[in-house]
Amino acid sequence: MVKVHGRCNLACRYCYLYEGPDHTWRDRPAAASPAVLGRTADRIAEHAAAHRLGGVALVLHGGEPLLAGPDRLAAFADTVRARVPTGCTVHATVQTNATLLTDAAVATLAAHGIRVGISLDGGLAAHNALRTDHAGRPSWPAAVRGARLLVDRHPDAFAGILTVVDPRTDPVEMYVSLLALRPPALDLLLPHGNWSAPPPGMPDLTHLPMGPGSRRATPYGDWLCAVFDRWWAAPRRATRVRLFEECVALLLGLPAATESLGLDPLNAVVIETDGAIEQVDSLKSAYDGAAATGLDVFRHTFDEALGHPGVAARQAGARALADACRTCPLLTVCGGGHYAHRYRAGHGFRNPSVYCADLERLVRHVADRLAEATAGDPP
């Protein structure tokens, strides 16, 4: 993930990056310089060659990456492709809030093999009320215009929609509203919270027991189960929902994992606008400086980043989990949940996820539906 631009044209009130505890973005350049982008391309190529990679995922991120301009994004993707070894495919995606999408911008991105993922809180204006610009004006009119342009004129460039779960919304209404935008895939993400800063709608969890069987309310799990049932029971698969597909695959014993499920090691790194090599941004929801490694693309390789203690902890699988997680029957499916959601001040990240009960609710629900669907099948 490369931060081509480190600022955003929106001021979403729940943003963990700009409204959260980490303030390191304030001291960084607004945009990555040509020197940073060039050196990053070199490091990607170096890593691909050293490990004989057949492909790499290049995510152009922010902030709002389109503030850097589509031509600059296209040029960087071209540079990376030119420098990686022959036979290594670069799968490039830009993640945007869609407000700056124009026909010319999408045409440029598509022509340079960059697919477009958009972030929305739902497919209706009411769902996106917290996504405002810095003057407090709603972003929805511009965002939906950009999304529809992508759907209607450049569907082959549409990577999908990323949506943060909000249990205050009607889950089925939200899901159906997004289907109207014909996304090829949906990512349903739990809001970044932890035991010391609980997600919206959760009570103070400081003195509650952690781990499976805590028997507390599961607003996020209930919401996800409702969407799963609508998705699962549809006569045809209207879109891919990565969280659900991965959960089903893991229950069937297949190799699969997202940041929220499974035990596969994390395989992502972030390059900041100043060239710093950092862990994924979600850690910034825990405390100031949580994602820092002290490394940068000018002096260090990505293999050195793999050796950083914070990164290594996320390569350790079950060994890095809390005792309660390692003895849980859902271990291989849940995987301890998202790493950032395990944080508790004074206790680090070796805790169950703050969403432990919600994840248990979802996994058991999906398992029940899967058992019903396969009942009577030959062994």
Side-chain angles (χ1 to χ4, degrees):
M1 288 184 279
V2 180
K3 297 289 194 74
V4 288
H5 207 285
R7 302 293 186 269
C8 190
N9 60 330
L10 299 187
C12 303
R13 280 170 266 175
Y14 57 79
C15 181
Y16 72 91
L17 187 58
Y18 300 111
E19 301 294 333
D22 185 274
H23 300 143
T24 53
W25 62 271
R26 296 177 178 175
D27 298 323
R28 291 195 161 108
S33 68
V36 166
L37 295 178
R39 193 59 172 150
T40 299
D42 288 339
R43 290 299 188 194
I44 293 171
E46 172 187 63
H47 195 73
H51 295 273
R52 299 180 180 178
L53 300 181
V56 296
L58 174 65
V59 183
L60 307 175
H61 218 276
E64 172 46 54
L66 282 173
L67 287 172
D71 291 334
R72 194 171 190 192
L73 303 183
F76 176 59
D78 288 348
T79 299
V80 174
R81 289 193 174 101
R83 295 184 186 180
V84 297
T86 301
C88 179
T89 302
V90 177
H91 304 277
T93 308
V94 61
Q95 189 67 34
T96 173
N97 59 40
T99 60
L100 300 179
L101 288 177
T102 64
D103 190 56
V106 179
T108 296
L109 296 170
H112 291 265
I114 302 173
R115 302 186 74 210
V116 181
I118 61 178
S119 301
L120 293 172
D121 289 346
L124 300 174
H127 297 149
N128 294 275
L130 298 180
R131 298 178 68 83
T132 61
D133 67 13
H134 291 273
R137 295 169 298 200
S139 67
W140 175 249
V144 72
R145 183 169 57 249
R148 287 174 179 158
L149 182 152
L150 185 63
V151 171
D152 294 339
R153 301 187 191 179
H154 304 277
D156 291 344
F158 194 6
I161 296 177
L162 183 154
T163 295
V164 177
V165 173
D166 183 350
R168 297 169 298 181
T169 62
D170 181 297
V172 174
E173 177 193 57
M174 194 286 303
Y175 173 70
V176 171
S177 72
L178 287 176
L179 289 184
L181 295 173
R182 304 197 301 277
L186 286 180
D187 268 335
L188 298 176
L189 304 182
L190 293 168
H192 291 313
N194 54 64
W195 290 96
S196 297
M202 281 193 188
D204 180 2
L205 303 175
T206 306
H207 303 295
L208 293 182
M210 296 187 289
S214 58
R215 299 189 182 280
R216 62 170 178 78
T218 56
Y220 291 90
D222 296 344
W223 192 99
L224 286 168
C225 287
V227 177
F228 177 83
D229 284 345
R230 174 63 172 76
W231 175 80
W232 181 257
R236 65 176 183 85
R237 193 68 71 238
T239 188
R240 301 184 62 191
V241 181
R242 186 171 63 154
L243 180 66
F244 298 158
E245 289 184 349
E246 301 291 348
C247 188
V248 169
L250 289 162
L251 284 165
L252 293 173
L254 300 174
T258 67
E259 275 200 271
S260 299
L261 294 175
L263 288 168
D264 280 4
L266 182 74
N267 60 354
V269 70
V270 175
I271 309 305
E272 286 285 353
T273 58
D274 59 357
I277 301 174
E278 293 209 332
Q279 301 175 71
V280 291
D281 275 357
S282 54
L283 289 179
K284 296 179 180 182
S285 64
Y287 59 88
D288 193 24
T293 65
L295 309 177
D296 64 72
V297 293
F298 295 102
R299 298 176 299 156
H300 306 96
T301 68
F302 290 151
D303 275 340
E304 289 177 274
L306 280 170
H308 184 274
V311 177
R314 306 193 68 178
Q315 310 292 310
R319 299 193 309 276
L321 299 180
D323 292 343
C325 294
R326 292 201 301 273
T327 59
C328 176
L330 303 182
L331 169 64
T332 56
V333 181
C334 171
H338 197 297
Y339 192 82
H341 301 164
R342 305 174 198 168
Y343 179 72
R344 188 171 193 169
H347 300 271
F349 293 92
R350 203 179 181 93
N351 309 293
S353 168
V354 72
Y355 290 107
C356 177
D358 297 273
L359 292 172
E360 182 176 8
R361 166 88 168 94
L362 173 64
V363 172
R364 292 190 182 280
H365 182 81
V366 174
D368 288 344
R369 293 293 180 267
L370 190 57
E372 292 168 3
T374 57
D377 286 356

